[in-house]
Amino acid sequence: MVILLGTMSTAEHSLALSNAAPGPAPWQRAAAGANLLTADGGLGVTIFEEITTMAVKAGAINLGQGFPDEDGPGAIAAAARQAIAAGTNQYAPGKGMPVLREAVAAHQQRFYGLAPDPDTEVIITTGATEALAATLLALTGPGDEVLTFEPFYDSYGAMIGLSGATHTTSPLRAPDFQPDLEHLEQAFTDRTRVVLVNNPHNPMGTVFNREALAKVVELAERYNAVIVMDEVYEHLTFGVPHIPVATLPGAAERTVTISSAGKTFSFTGWKIGWLHGPADLVAAIRTVKQFLSYSSGSPFQPAIAAALALDDSFYQGVAAGLQRKRDVLSEGLRRAGLEVFTPDGTYFINVDAAPLGVTDAPALARQLPELVGVAAIPVSVFCHADGAERTRSLLRFAFCKKIEVLEEAAARLATLQERLG
């Protein structure tokens, strides 16, 4: 049956698709997983698009989306330009250029003592997003469960929905947003195929402690689940160590580790990511990945290989600079009367608006651009229904911006209590 969608409304699309096949269509599962379906089954816009539109209209400082407003090292950009000039402009190998696969393996050895084989255990991907998509589509399907912590990065819900698996969660609660180990144990079942962990954690800014990570490994072993680690913020921690799960006893043989260049090197638009893990899992993931993008970013791959070899001082400087930015914005948020949950990593600060008598953070987020000229994202959009209620008074702000921008945002936010009356 052929359905012509071009002249239909979103609701009509939904009806046509539901009449054509049993159950929701793949796009509907993805949209539902990312909280994009409206009550009548229509397709809504993401909160990021909505808040960004409001910010632009109001001329507000947009601290909603997590991308930096400064480029990364000039030498790395120059390396990409050199690669373009040298003719590195055609398809890269499907699993990535050898120079970058070897650089990823060397990086893991240098920082964590891990030694993935660059030929059979490393894949270069179109950002961490494609790595996540290929992994979930390769390893999960109807009848499986994928367990994440909640709040969760919205891409997780979309990709789990697209795979046809069931998305289950375990909560991260204020004030420290560390896993509830008792609840985590209860959340695992015989159907848990993958436990997907974002550490350091977006949106909560938490860096999970060793006890929590060891519990994930213990439970994954007990239920024969694959551990998928999203570690894109691995170098952006503040005074606490990042512990890759693959370094823990019993973890390496069941762990797929994902990371990318965007956050560490401030080249988010290059979309260069990677994953590594046991050869059998990597082969399965590569089978799917080759039919998504096949390959991408040819001139950027050797540039990121050079970036991964930068001195320790670079990595230390990136973290120290972000910590200073965190502290500048935190001060403005405290002056606003908000309860600030100081993050140990990532780009993000979370706050509770309840001390101001505000319990509806989504409504406040839609007011902020006009009210004080700063935009933020409500944490509830990163949750299912129960989690959304639990986080209803929380907001997330991104501090990966120029220091002068954050100083101005902090000054504006300091007027919030007064403006709310």
Side-chain angles (χ1 to χ4, degrees):
M1 178 179 182
V2 177
I3 302 171
L4 300 178
L5 301 180
T7 60
M8 296 182 184
S9 68
T10 301
E12 288 170 331
H13 291 171
S14 301
L15 180 60
L17 288 167
S18 64
N19 287 337
W27 74 268
Q28 290 172 304
R29 298 198 306 268
N35 296 325
L36 293 182
L37 284 187
T38 60
D40 64 356
L43 183 62
V45 300
T46 69
I47 190 69
F48 302 101
E49 181 178 348
E50 180 183 0
I51 295 298
T52 294
T53 300
M54 292 178 173
V56 170
K57 183 177 179 181
I61 296 171
N62 189 355
L63 303 185
Q65 286 189 278
F67 60 86
D69 56 1
E70 297 177 275
D71 286 343
I76 304 308
R81 290 193 293 271
Q82 182 179 1
I84 292 171
T88 311
N89 300 305
Q90 308 309 323
Y91 293 129
K95 62 182 179 181
M97 290 183 176
V99 66
L100 183 51
R101 286 186 278 112
E102 290 164 4
V104 168
H107 171 277
Q108 296 304 91
Q109 176 67 55
R110 170 186 171 190
F111 286 100
Y112 310 125
L114 297 168
D117 183 330
D119 288 328
T120 62
E121 297 181 332
V122 178
I123 303 175
I124 307 307
T125 59
T126 306
T129 303
E130 186 191 41
L132 287 162
T135 300
L136 291 172
L137 292 173
L139 302 182
T140 69
D144 295 327
E145 293 177 353
V146 179
L147 173 60
T148 74
F149 291 108
E150 185 180 49
F152 52 84
Y153 180 48
D154 57 352
S155 177
Y156 298 173
M159 285 301 105
I160 295 166
L162 191 59
S163 79
T166 298
H167 187 181
T168 60
T169 63
S170 184
L172 302 175
R173 297 188 178 93
D176 63 359
F177 301 107
Q178 289 286 339
D180 178 333
L181 301 189
E182 183 177 344
H183 189 284
L184 179 63
E185 185 159 1
Q186 294 170 354
F188 270 82
T189 75
D190 291 335
R191 294 172 59 195
T192 303
R193 171 62 175 148
V194 163
V195 53
L196 170 55
V197 181
N198 182 201
N199 180 47
H201 188 272
N202 171 22
M204 305 320 298
T206 311
V207 179
F208 294 154
N209 58 41
R210 184 175 293 273
E211 180 186 11
L213 297 174
K215 189 67 172 180
V216 168
V217 176
E218 174 198 329
L219 292 167
E221 286 183 305
R222 186 189 308 174
Y223 288 94
N224 195 29
V226 175
I227 304 168
V228 177
M229 294 301 305
D230 176 356
E231 300 186 356
V232 298
Y233 296 98
E234 60 186 307
H235 290 293
L236 308 182
T237 65
F238 316 126
V240 297
H242 166 64
I243 303 170
V245 162
T247 64
L248 299 182
E253 58 265 31
R254 65 175 64 252
T255 300
V256 174
T257 301
I258 294 170
S259 194
S260 74
K263 302 300 191 294
T264 298
F265 301 111
S266 294
F267 289 119
T268 58
W270 289 11
K271 296 299 290 180
I272 300 296
W274 52 83
L275 64 81
H276 73 83
D280 58 336
L281 293 178
V282 168
I285 296 164
R286 184 184 169 196
T287 301
V288 172
K289 181 261 185 293
Q290 67 185 337
F291 297 111
L292 297 177
S293 68
Y294 180 68
S295 70
S296 59
S298 293
F300 301 130
Q301 291 193 30
I304 294 304
L308 287 170
L310 288 172
D311 291 343
D312 289 357
S313 59
F314 166 80
Y315 292 95
Q316 294 161 0
V318 168
L322 270 175
Q323 184 169 349
R324 181 185 172 214
K325 293 177 177 184
R326 176 200 71 178
D327 294 344
V328 167
L329 184 58
S330 293
E331 179 57 29
L333 292 166
R334 289 191 182 93
R335 285 162 54 201
L338 298 160
E339 181 181 0
V340 176
F341 303 109
T342 303
D344 287 329
T346 77
Y347 282 171
F348 306 107
I349 297 175
N350 289 274
V351 302
D352 194 341
L356 298 179
V358 176
T359 57
D360 189 347
L364 179 59
R366 291 176 173 92
Q367 292 178 280
L368 282 176
E370 287 284 352
L371 195 63
V372 295
V374 178
I377 297 293
V379 174
S380 59
V381 301
F382 301 105
C383 301
H384 293 151
D386 289 347
E389 189 60 34
R390 187 175 60 251
T391 61
R392 190 160 181 79
S393 62
L394 304 187
L395 288 167
R396 189 197 75 172
F397 292 81
F399 55 87
C400 50
K401 309 297 179 182
K402 295 176 183 175
I403 198 74
E404 58 267 28
V405 172
L406 295 172
E407 288 170 344
E408 175 60 26
R412 296 182 186 186
L413 286 163
T415 68
L416 176 60
Q417 193 166 10
E418 174 186 344
R419 292 177 183 271
L420 284 173

